[in-house]
Amino acid sequence: GAGVSQSPSNKVTEKGKDVELRCDPISGHTALYWYRQSLGQGLEFLIYFQGNSAPDKSGLPSDRFSAERTGGSVSTLTIQRTQQEDSAVYLCASSFTKGIGELFFGEGSRLTVL
Amino acid sequence: GQQLNQSPQSMFIQEGEDVSMNCTSSSIFNTWLWYKQDPGEGPVLLIALYKAGELTSNGRLTAQFGITRKDSFLNISASIPSDVGIYFCAGASGANSKLTFGKGITLSVRP
C-alpha cells in the first residue's frame, strides 16, 4: 500500500501474555519510529530505527519492551509479560530521510491489557 | 528530558472563528512541526518549520517558528467543522534527534 501499515489494529490480551505489533513502513523509507499514545497524553517516543539498527532506544519503558527491524523494512514491537499500564495506542511512523524528516504515521495498534 | 507544553488541553470555538494555539519549551529546538490527529487515525503533518522566525502558511493554517527557538504557534482562520481533532506540536533539537511531541490540544468546532 501507499501508507504506513500497522497490524493488528486492535489487540485485547490478558495480563502476563506477550504481544507482537507489526509495522510495514512506506517503501523506500529508511527511518522508522515507534511511539506510544495513552489517553490524554502526547506521543511518547519509544525507539527509532535507521535501516536495521536502532541508534536511539532510549524511550523503551522497561526490558519487557523490545523491537527489531529486518531487511530495512518491516518492524516488530514486542511486549513481554504485558501489564495493564501497557494499554495504549502504539503508533509507527516512517521517514525518507535520516534523522528529522516529515514523519508519516500509521493508524496505530490499540492494545488493551485486561 | 525535553518537554513541549501545550495548553489548554481543550478548546471550543464557533464555526467561522479564528483560533491560535501555542507551544512552548524550556529547551531550544531547531525544527518545529505541527500535526493533526483525527479519531482512530495517526497524526498527519500540517506544517514544518526549519528556521527561527520563519512564518509559513498552508491554506487557512499559518505557523511561526519563534525567534527564541523555544516556541511556536499555529493559527487556523475561518474554522470549519472538519478542523475538529487533536493538534500536536513537535520539535527536534538536531538533525539526528528524535521528535518530541506535546500533549496536544483537542479542538471542537460548534456549527
Side-chain angles (χ1 to χ4, degrees):
Chain A
V4 176
S5 178
Q6 291 188 247
S7 62
S9 53
N10 272 291
K11 175 73 177 177
V12 180
T13 190
E14 292 179 349
K15 178 180 169 181
K17 295 277 177 71
D18 298 351
V19 297
E20 282 190 354
L21 307 176
R22 176 189 166 108
C23 174
D24 211 331
I26 293 172
S27 177
H29 280 194
T30 57
L32 186 148
Y33 301 76
W34 283 98
Y35 282 84
R36 178 167 73 173
Q37 184 176 23
S38 303
L39 192 64
Q41 300 296 311
L43 278 67
E44 176 190 4
F45 170 80
L46 298 178
I47 188 170
Y48 153 59
F49 287 93
Q50 182 60 37
N52 291 336
S53 63
D56 190 346
K57 50 177 87 170
S58 62
L60 294 177
S62 74
D63 58 9
R64 295 187 295 105
F65 287 73
S66 63
E68 64 174 14
R69 189 179 184 194
T70 54
S73 179
V74 172
S75 176
T76 303
L77 177 69
T78 301
I79 309 172
Q80 295 178 307
R81 305 180 303 281
T82 51
Q83 303 294 311
Q84 287 183 331
E85 62 261 28
D86 298 337
S87 297
V89 176
Y90 289 82
L91 288 160
C92 175
S94 69
S95 171
F96 181 69
T97 59
K98 179 180 177 180
I100 294 308
E102 298 175 11
L103 301 190
F104 294 84
F105 282 85
E107 294 187 348
S109 292
R110 179 176 294 280
L111 174 66
T112 303
V113 182
L114 302 177
Chain B
Q2 295 173 323
Q3 284 188 323
L4 291 177
N5 302 307
Q6 289 186 264
S7 66
Q9 196 172 1
S10 302
M11 299 181 79
F12 299 86
I13 60 173
Q14 200 74 35
E15 184 178 356
E17 287 182 342
D18 299 347
V19 62
S20 185
M21 302 178 190
N22 221 37
C23 185
T24 61
S25 172
S26 57
S27 307
I28 286 174
F29 286 94
N30 293 316
T31 300
W32 288 86
L33 305 170
W34 284 91
Y35 282 82
K36 183 195 177 201
Q37 185 179 31
D38 290 329
E41 298 185 11
V44 173
L45 181 68
L46 297 175
I47 290 181
L49 302 157
Y50 298 104
K51 204 167 155 183
E54 180 181 356
L55 182 72
T56 297
S57 293
N58 178 7
R60 294 178 297 106
L61 307 178
T62 302
Q64 183 155 32
F65 188 147
I67 200 75
T68 65
R69 292 190 284 160
K70 292 184 177 181
D71 65 340
S72 175
F73 71 75
L74 174 72
N75 279 346
I76 305 173
S77 63
S79 59
I80 59 177
S82 62
D83 290 335
V84 164
I86 304 175
Y87 290 81
F88 292 100
C89 63
S93 55
N96 295 315
S97 59
K98 61 182 181 283
L99 271 184
T100 299
F101 282 80
K103 292 190 176 182
I105 293 176
T106 300
L107 179 66
S108 299
V109 179
R110 289 187 291 259

